[in-house]
Amino acid sequence: MLTSRPKSFKDPLYIARPFFPPLEEFKAGLEDIWESQILTNNGPVLQKYHAELSDFLHNRHISLVSNGTLALQLTLQALDIKGEVITTPFTFVATSHALLWNNLKPAFVDIDPNTFNLDPLKVEQSITPDTKAILAVHVYGKPCDIKALEGIAIKHNLKIIYDAAHAFGVKIDGMPISRAGDASIFSFHATKMHHSAEGGLIVTNNEELTNKVNYLRNFGFENETNVAMPGTNAKMNELQALMGSINLQYFESNVRHRKALDTHYRKQLLEIPGVITPELPSKEVDYNYSYFPILIDAHSFGKTRDATYELMKEFNLFPRRYFYPLVCDFGCYQHLPRGELKVANKVANGVICLPIHTQMSEDDVEHVADIIRYIKSI
Ligand code: T4K
């Protein structure tokens, strides 16, 4: 048990820090761009990154776009879904914003207490004649119950789209998670496990869908004289692609680094009453360790989640309450119907995502644990 107050972190410790590759490698890539004089519109660096990702994901049908939000919007648009879409309230707002941007109606359904992902049983109970699709999220990179969700989708003739923004690199039985469903989207935002500063990716097994998304990301142009559909501008540029392409080479070593931090956190937090560390995915999953959520049980910890969160900031420690409030509680969603969201409310009211990123050391993890122990003791 700690008696003295731990020091504050010298520099702020944030939930995330982008991985920065060696500057020399980026500079060398910039020289190639200067040489090519191409900055965007399907340039050579984008094509190289595309090929590398296609290899990495064992899939030819991929589309790079400028961010994860547009990846979702374009996918929903290309699938031409109309009506109601079952989704989770325990996610980043971009998930349901993409539905509203496509004039689709989100139907918020409760989550599973272990995975924090959509509860398949409740999904099936919530299907109405208006339901046309399921938009599921692999929250924190932990896979949804894909088998159950796919079964429901087939039985009720629904499309299924996975928001895999957190799940880049995750595999199930050795296969990339993006093999499931009608499509999966990834975010390559700076705070993500793998990033291109800003960026997004759409992965599908459906060639036609990829073709449509490729039109949509480039104004709908089919060729110089024909526009096939009213598209938008969602292209990834050469600088983003360069960052992504270089970072991809560091992906595996970054996962190893994060795994070591995750293991150390679990050891350090094990015996603090009131701090619950959700389980890792089961052994058939190669996980990416993209987030480190804990749940604060106010009764046994002796402080509320919010008090704990605020006190942490006094130590120059800046975790985040991903995902609180629930999306359906934001002003622009409050008018929408929702089922009973008992689990989602409980998790959203207890969660704190602790910092985990490649600029952290195991000493930092011990320091975070000391601060949590101290907060409990005061
Ligand atoms: N679906 C899901 C499930 C998602 O979680 C997201 C995005 C999306 C879809 C949409 O994908 P994108 O359109 O973003 O590609 C962050 C990210 O901006 C967002 O990408 C992410 N999810 C979400 C969970 O987190 P904020 O507003 O909480 O991030 P921010 O700027 O407060 O950054 C967190 C901390 O990271 C900062 O306190 C400091 C540090 N940081 C951040 C940036 C950007 C750095 O050290 N350097 C940086 O460059 O949303």
Side-chain angles (χ1 to χ4, degrees):
M1 186 53 74
L2 275 188
T3 46
S4 60
R5 181 182 170 94
K7 282 190 184 148
S8 294
F9 277 97
K10 195 162 143 283
D11 297 312
L13 183 65
Y14 295 112
I15 179 168
R17 263 291 188 228
F19 170 73
F20 282 87
L23 187 56
E24 288 315 309
E25 285 186 43
F26 198 71
K27 278 184 184 166
L30 286 179
E31 281 171 16
D32 292 341
I33 292 175
W34 257 239
E35 184 75 22
S36 77
Q37 294 283 293
I38 305 287
L39 280 172
T40 188
N41 288 8
N42 203 20
V45 187
L46 184 110
Q47 288 180 31
K48 178 171 177 281
Y49 185 34
H50 178 109
E52 290 161 353
L53 285 168
S54 175
D55 236 35
F56 186 89
L57 296 167
H58 313 296
N59 194 325
R60 286 184 302 124
H61 306 306
I62 65 170
S63 303
L64 277 161
V65 292
S66 43
N67 58 59
T69 306
L70 279 163
L72 271 171
Q73 287 178 206
L74 265 53
T75 302
L76 293 164
Q77 171 101 171
L79 283 168
D80 201 18
I81 303 165
K82 308 244 182 314
E84 196 173 271
V85 178
I86 288 179
T87 193
T88 171
F90 189 70
T91 183
F92 191 59
V93 281
T95 312
S96 20
H97 280 357
L99 294 171
L100 294 196
W101 274 71
N102 278 288
N103 291 320
L104 292 162
K105 195 166 147 215
F108 296 107
V109 168
D110 209 359
I111 59 172
D112 175 276
N114 296 313
T115 63
F116 303 165
N117 293 322
L118 274 177
D119 180 336
L121 209 69
K122 293 179 185 150
V123 167
E124 187 151 30
Q125 287 164 356
S126 308
I127 293 171
T128 71
D130 282 344
T131 309
K132 294 294 173 319
I134 301 167
L135 174 54
V137 182
H138 302 301
V139 175
Y140 308 138
K142 294 183 187 176
C144 297
D145 187 343
I146 290 176
K147 212 165 150 192
L149 290 176
E150 306 273 346
I152 295 166
I154 291 169
K155 185 169 154 199
H156 297 273
N157 193 24
L158 306 175
K159 298 259 189 264
I160 179 154
I161 303 106
Y162 292 100
D163 178 340
H166 305 169
F168 186 76
V170 174
K171 293 180 183 164
I172 304 173
D173 290 325
M175 299 311 288
I177 197 165
S178 50
R179 281 174 75 91
D182 290 282
S184 296
I185 74 93
F186 295 97
S187 162
F188 294 162
H189 181 261
T191 53
K192 294 293 187 297
M193 178 62 227
H194 168 70
H195 76 88
S196 56
E198 290 268 11
L201 184 74
I202 299 149
V203 184
T204 171
N205 303 315
N206 177 347
E207 187 173 4
E208 207 183 311
L209 183 67
T210 300
N211 292 339
K212 211 164 163 189
V213 162
N214 289 346
Y215 288 143
L216 286 173
R217 73 177 171 182
N218 187 30
F219 312 101
F221 272 115
E222 203 169 32
N223 54 45
E224 218 177 314
T225 53
N226 193 36
V227 170
M229 56 194 81
T232 184
N233 181 357
K235 288 167 278 136
M236 177 179 273
N237 68 46
E238 292 287 274
L239 297 170
Q240 291 171 284
L242 176 62
M243 181 64 99
S245 169
I246 297 172
N247 284 350
L248 194 57
Q249 297 167 45
Y250 292 90
F251 181 79
E252 299 298 344
S253 61
N254 286 347
V255 172
R256 283 196 295 278
H257 187 140
R258 299 172 85 106
K259 181 177 181 182
L261 298 176
D262 182 295
T263 307
H264 209 55
Y265 261 136
R266 284 171 197 281
K267 239 186 272 163
Q268 290 290 318
L269 301 174
L270 192 64
E271 278 160 20
I272 308 181
V275 176
I276 300 152
T277 49
E279 280 178 20
L280 284 166
S282 48
K283 61 180 184 332
E284 68 274 13
V285 176
D286 288 331
Y287 185 46
N288 66 2
Y289 304 91
S290 51
Y291 289 87
F292 193 87
I294 58 169
L295 296 178
I296 298 292
D297 173 35
H299 181 68
S300 36
F301 189 70
K303 301 256 174 329
T304 63
R305 184 278 307 273
D306 290 342
T308 308
Y309 177 69
E310 292 305 326
L311 283 165
M312 284 175 168
K313 294 181 191 168
E314 293 180 11
F315 294 86
N316 223 4
L317 170 60
F318 297 96
R320 292 298 280 269
R321 289 168 294 184
Y322 292 145
F323 291 100
Y324 165 86
L326 293 178
V327 169
C328 52
D329 291 335
F330 286 123
C332 58
Y333 289 96
Q334 280 173 6
H335 65 287
L336 289 168
R338 70 200 57 188
E340 202 194 13
L341 302 173
K342 217 162 136 191
V343 181
N345 272 304
K346 187 163 181 231
V347 176
N349 289 326
V351 74
I352 299 181
C353 284
L354 298 178
I356 185 163
H357 54 78
T358 50
Q359 295 186 33
M360 281 176 69
S361 66
E362 292 187 6
D363 284 351
D364 292 327
V365 167
E366 280 167 36
H367 195 157
V368 173
D370 283 347
I371 290 169
I372 295 174
R373 268 190 286 270
Y374 178 74
I375 289 173
K376 176 171 169 50
S377 75
I378 56 177

